[in-house]
Amino acid sequence: MGKISLRKDIQDEVNRYGQRGQRPDLDAVKALLDGIEKLNVQIEEIDKLLVRGR
């Protein structure tokens, strides 16, 4: 998941949950959390490469 699609999917889930009578889709939330974790790992790897290049 790229940052833009991840951000959109998070917003969609928040908007859906904000509607009356809706419950969180736990599978969707878990997938979003996994996506966030993977993106964080990629960011940390890029950061390490940039620090080494200095």
Side-chain angles (χ1 to χ4, degrees):
M1 273 188 192
K3 179 181 174 186
I4 293 172
S5 65
L6 183 59
R7 183 178 291 183
K8 180 190 172 304
D9 292 345
I10 291 168
Q11 187 63 56
D12 289 346
E13 186 61 26
V14 169
N15 290 343
R16 188 189 66 74
Y17 178 61
Q19 296 175 11
R20 178 170 282 166
Q22 292 292 317
R23 296 265 184 222
D25 179 340
L26 297 181
D27 291 333
V29 171
K30 182 179 181 320
L32 291 170
L33 291 172
D34 290 344
I36 292 168
E37 194 62 38
K38 288 176 184 175
L39 183 59
N40 284 340
V41 168
Q42 290 175 339
I43 291 169
E44 289 173 4
E45 289 173 357
I46 291 169
D47 187 56
K48 287 177 188 176
L49 291 172
L50 291 173
V51 169
R52 279 191 226 149
R54 290 183 187 167

